[in-house]
Amino acid sequence: AYWKEKDVSLESGGQELSERLEVARRMLLSRTSILKNEIQSQETVFNAMLTKIREADVNQAEQGSAIEMNSRAHLPGTAVSPVEAKVISTGLIGGFLVGAAFALLLIRMDNKFHTVMQVEEILGVPVLAAVSIIQPQAKPKKSAEAVDPKELEALELEKNWDPKIVFRHGLADSGHSEMFRVLRASITLLGPEEKRKVTLFTSAIPGEGKTTTAVNFALAAAGQGKRVLLVDLDLRRPAVHAAFGIPRDSDSRGVTGYLSGQRSFDDSILTNVSGTGLDLMVSGVKAPRPGELLNGFLLNSLLAEARARYDLIVLDTAPLLAVPDTRVIAPHADNVCMVVRAEYVPKGAVLRVLSLLEAGRTPLAGIVLNAFRARRSLIAYNYTYGYYKYGSSGNPYGDGRDAYGADEK
């Protein structure tokens, strides 16, 4: 029984082992099959890659055979970038455009008058004359024997004159005196002399040279042998007496003496000043209320007396925008002339004066452009007024030698 049981256990054990071996064999077979499939897949990928490599080699060989060398590479002689010509042309064009824009900006910002043409275009008023900057002149030298005693006396009196008075002994034929003769001719041509006796000079603001213009114009007219009276009606800041080196009178002589009834017309006048043939009525003593003296009745009386005795009456008045005095006087004048100083008075101030005169129904006869810079480049714009230059001996020079305007270029 023991052995029988032993045989049974051995038989059962062998059977179990056999079954296990069978399972292991099947697993190995299955694994083998899987490995074979993987090997086949890897071989397929390898073969595909090998085919691609061969095809690439073939294409590269074909491309290499199509390339031909035409020329060898070489270094350029000049820089490829930047191109010098391009940089210079760009800089020139850019500089021109920037300069033009800057010039246009300056022109737009410019608020002053420079030339006759500019004055007439902007204001629409004729320019009667243009006077360049007046500078002291050198007087011609004469020997002691050639000097007339009367001339010596006149020269002594003229020592105290304002240097801007151009009608003086030895200098009456200068270029600037010709400019004021142009003004004299322009005003003469405005109409019949008997209807144009009273000429008034004013300005928009102080410092434009209205007194200098009035004085030189009066002297130019007196030089024709006319009976001329110069009246200083700028009672607040008179300057005619100072132009001739005359102290301001302290005995009620002048305009204030006449208008206040303290002096007669004859007693208020200085006759034949320095032998020029010009009569003066200076402002006189300072008036406490100048505006009240310049009322219509008293002013009419003064001008009526002057019209009866003189061929020409020249009035130097106050600036229009500073005080209202000139607006009261202007309707009594035959020729109202405004002095406009170049490169000085704002355009708006002059336009304001024109509107005030228009509102007061006072026509403006014309404008005197004063103290402009006489340059050859501006001849066309200033209509060559008074451009002829004279030397100290009175002889004209085409090239401007010995001209006393240092700014005339």
Side-chain angles (χ1 to χ4, degrees):
Y2 170 78
W3 289 109
K4 286 182 179 180
E5 292 177 2
K6 194 72 172 175
D7 290 334
V8 171
S9 62
L10 288 171
E11 185 178 354
S12 60
Q15 187 177 0
E16 182 179 358
L17 178 62
S18 178
E19 291 177 354
R20 290 181 178 178
L21 289 173
E22 183 65 21
V23 171
R25 188 180 68 79
R26 291 176 180 175
M27 292 178 65
L28 289 172
L29 290 174
S30 177
R31 182 63 179 168
T32 302
S33 177
I34 291 172
L35 291 173
K36 286 181 179 180
N37 291 334
E38 290 181 354
I39 291 171
Q40 290 178 356
S41 176
Q42 293 292 333
E43 287 179 352
T44 302
V45 172
F46 174 75
N47 291 332
M49 293 180 64
L50 187 60
T51 301
K52 291 289 185 182
I53 291 172
R54 289 173 180 173
E55 290 178 354
D57 291 340
V58 172
N59 292 334
Q60 185 175 5
E62 291 178 354
Q63 292 177 357
S65 62
I67 295 175
E68 293 181 2
M69 184 172 63
N70 293 326
S71 61
R72 294 182 178 276
H74 63 278
L75 292 175
T78 58
V80 177
S81 179
V83 181
E84 184 179 358
K86 185 177 181 180
V87 172
I88 293 175
S89 60
T90 303
L92 290 174
I93 295 172
F96 174 77
L97 293 176
V98 172
F102 186 68
L104 290 175
L105 179 62
L106 290 178
I107 291 173
R108 190 172 184 85
M109 294 175 62
D110 186 12
N111 194 30
K112 304 294 189 297
F113 293 100
H114 304 281
T115 64
V116 171
M117 184 178 293
Q118 187 183 35
V119 171
E120 292 186 337
E121 287 180 352
I122 295 175
L123 303 180
V125 179
V127 173
L128 300 173
V131 181
S132 62
I133 297 174
I134 299 176
Q135 296 180 353
Q137 297 177 256
K139 297 179 181 180
K141 296 180 180 179
K142 294 183 180 180
S143 61
E145 295 79 7
V147 177
D148 188 353
K150 292 184 178 180
E151 185 175 348
L152 282 175
E153 183 181 355
L155 290 173
E156 188 66 27
L157 293 173
E158 291 173 3
K159 285 183 178 180
N160 296 324
W161 283 17
D162 189 318
K164 293 182 179 180
I165 296 179
V166 298
F167 291 94
R168 58 180 75 214
H169 285 81
L171 296 177
D173 292 328
S174 65
H176 281 90
S177 60
E178 280 301 314
M179 297 178 190
F180 287 105
R181 290 189 181 100
V182 169
L183 175 60
R184 180 187 66 192
S186 298
I187 293 178
T188 302
L189 295 174
L190 291 175
E193 185 175 345
E194 63 275 6
K195 296 182 180 180
R196 294 282 181 175
K197 280 193 171 185
V198 181
T199 299
L200 179 149
F201 287 96
T202 185
S203 61
I205 59 177
E208 296 194 64
K210 62 176 183 58
T211 300
T212 299
T213 303
V215 168
N216 282 302
F217 170 72
L219 288 171
Q224 287 185 312
K226 294 181 179 180
R227 294 171 298 168
V228 182
L229 174 65
L230 174 59
V231 184
D232 191 349
L233 288 178
D234 187 355
L235 302 184
R236 300 175 191 268
R237 296 182 63 182
V240 172
H241 66 280
F244 287 99
I246 301 172
R248 193 167 185 179
D249 208 340
S250 59
D251 59 354
S252 303
R253 185 188 297 268
V255 175
T256 54
Y258 177 82
L259 294 181
S260 63
Q262 300 180 37
R263 290 276 185 174
S264 65
F265 187 86
D266 291 330
D267 289 340
S268 302
I269 293 176
L270 300 174
T271 59
N272 194 22
V273 177
S274 300
T276 58
L278 175 67
D279 290 355
L280 291 183
M281 182 180 281
V282 296
S283 64
V285 296
K286 184 176 180 180
R289 291 181 294 274
E292 295 182 5
L293 287 177
L294 296 173
N295 66 66
F297 174 77
L298 295 174
L299 193 59
N300 275 333
S301 175
L302 187 152
L303 294 178
E305 189 78 21
R307 286 177 187 271
R309 300 190 182 196
Y310 291 92
D311 300 319
L312 178 65
I313 301 98
V314 182
L315 308 181
D316 178 33
T317 62
L320 270 161
L321 296 183
V323 290
D325 300 356
T326 304
R327 277 178 270 174
V328 177
I329 303 168
H332 301 278
D334 302 321
N335 312 309
V336 177
C337 304
M338 181 165 62
V339 177
V340 174
R341 182 174 176 181
E343 303 179 16
Y344 178 79
V345 60
K347 295 176 183 176
V350 180
L351 291 170
R352 173 62 177 161
V353 168
L354 294 182
S355 65
L356 289 175
L357 292 175
E358 184 178 355
R361 297 182 180 179
T362 304
L364 187 65
I367 287 175
V368 179
L369 181 65
N370 186 40
F372 76 93
R373 294 187 178 276
R375 298 190 181 99
R376 292 184 182 275
S377 59
L378 297 178
I379 291 177
Y381 299 98
N382 285 319
Y383 304 156
T384 67
Y385 281 142
Y387 186 74
Y388 295 105
K389 300 174 182 178
Y390 291 79
S392 59
S393 60
N395 296 321
Y397 293 104
D399 58 359
R401 291 174 296 160
D402 201 22
Y404 57 85
D407 57 329
E408 296 182 1
K409 298 177 181 177

